Amino acid sequence: MAGDTPEGSGVPKDSPIDFHDPLYVHPSDNIVTSIITVKLTGNKNYRLWRSAMSRGLKARSKLGFVDGSITLEKTEKTKASKWERVNAVVCNWILGSIFENIYASHVYSDKAKDIWDELFETYNKANGSVIFNIHQQINTLKQNGSSLSDYYNKLESLWKEFDGLTSLTECVCKATTKLNDHSKLMKLMQFLSGLDDVYNQIKSHILLMEPLPNVKSAFSILSRE
């Protein structure tokens, strides 16, 4: 009969499920589910972990539980219990993706946003030594027999982390274009200088191109060779 409910579900057969509703939790997304493969170890990989976790939460329409846009106060009273349940699930997703020595400091927090903010305040540190270390890794990285793809992706990761820590205030002036062009040139030089000698011939060809390609284009040219 219409309106009947599947046994044990409590949801009418013809009741549509909104998979994008932040208060909906898929049966496979329980408290022991791991939504990312990265484990937070501390300052060293915090930005990588945060980026991966943000993407995982966004894919499940749960980012609002940590950015403050979906709070218990903003939720209808009739759905308060659902919010509490989803909040507990998100808390466990976060806690399950951090190492044990960090876990103990945050396991007593009841709200996902509180854990998220506490981790940010503790590990989002960009002091001079961190920036120097990344800059040194960029300038000393060599292909050293690794695959071209692995070498390129490692540099890309370091560049993105460095840019995230040292980004300039957005500007629409003419100097911005020149700064961007200079940054692209430096990245191209860093990429080419770390290549193995087997690429010397094609590297010389790239350096004679007018205009010089960006790093991604240079990588494509080298990959074809």
Side-chain angles (χ1 to χ4, degrees):
M1 293 178 62
D4 286 350
T5 61
E7 187 177 348
S9 71
V11 179
K13 285 182 181 179
D14 57 356
S15 176
I17 297 176
D18 183 1
F19 295 102
H20 300 292
D21 182 357
L23 298 182
Y24 169 76
V25 178
H26 191 273
S28 65
D29 285 338
N30 51 56
I31 60 174
V32 296
T33 301
S34 295
I35 65 172
I36 61 173
T37 58
V38 180
K39 282 266 189 180
L40 176 63
T41 60
N43 295 76
K44 187 175 181 180
N45 76 334
Y46 172 74
R47 285 166 292 279
L48 173 65
W49 173 86
R50 183 183 174 93
S51 177
M53 181 57 73
S54 296
R55 194 176 296 112
L57 292 172
K58 188 174 183 180
R60 291 164 175 76
S61 302
K62 304 295 183 290
L63 191 60
F65 281 83
V66 297
D67 69 13
S69 59
I70 302 173
T71 64
L72 181 60
E73 293 73 24
K74 296 177 183 178
T75 303
E76 296 175 26
K77 290 184 178 181
T78 55
K79 297 181 178 180
S81 60
K82 284 187 176 181
W83 185 94
E84 294 282 2
R85 176 174 179 263
V86 179
N87 172 70
V89 171
V90 176
C91 283
N92 278 279
W93 285 345
I94 296 173
L95 292 170
S97 69
I98 61 182
F99 268 86
E100 194 171 321
N101 59 327
I102 301 174
Y103 177 95
S105 302
H106 303 281
V107 68
Y108 299 105
S109 297
D110 294 327
K111 293 183 179 179
K113 186 179 186 308
D114 290 344
I115 300 174
W116 189 257
D117 291 345
E118 288 165 7
L119 292 171
F120 178 83
E121 291 170 8
T122 305
Y123 298 108
N124 189 47
K125 306 298 182 184
N127 56 38
S129 62
V130 173
I131 296 172
F132 174 80
N133 182 52
I134 297 172
H135 185 264
Q136 190 173 43
Q137 288 184 64
I138 291 171
N139 287 316
T140 58
L141 185 66
K142 303 293 181 184
Q143 186 181 358
N144 199 26
S146 65
S147 71
L148 182 66
S149 179
D150 285 347
Y151 167 63
Y152 171 75
N153 288 325
K154 176 63 176 177
L155 261 180
E156 272 285 306
S157 176
L158 288 169
W159 282 330
K160 287 178 179 177
E161 188 169 8
F162 185 81
D163 290 345
L165 293 173
T166 61
S167 57
L168 300 173
T169 303
E170 288 190 15
C171 175
V172 294
C173 60
K174 293 181 180 179
T176 302
T177 302
K178 291 185 177 181
L179 284 171
N180 288 334
D181 289 344
H182 180 266
S183 176
K184 290 176 182 177
L185 177 62
M186 290 300 98
K187 288 178 179 178
L188 175 65
M189 297 300 137
Q190 288 164 348
F191 172 63
L192 294 177
S193 66
L195 289 170
D196 288 345
D197 291 343
V198 69
Y199 293 104
N200 280 350
Q201 186 175 349
I202 187 63
K203 182 167 64 175
S204 297
H205 169 70
I206 290 172
L207 289 169
L208 290 173
M209 295 175 70
E210 187 63 42
L212 286 170
N214 58 30
V215 175
K216 187 175 291 186
S217 297
F219 170 70
S220 298
I221 294 170
L222 288 158
S223 297
R224 289 196 297 271
E225 294 298 321

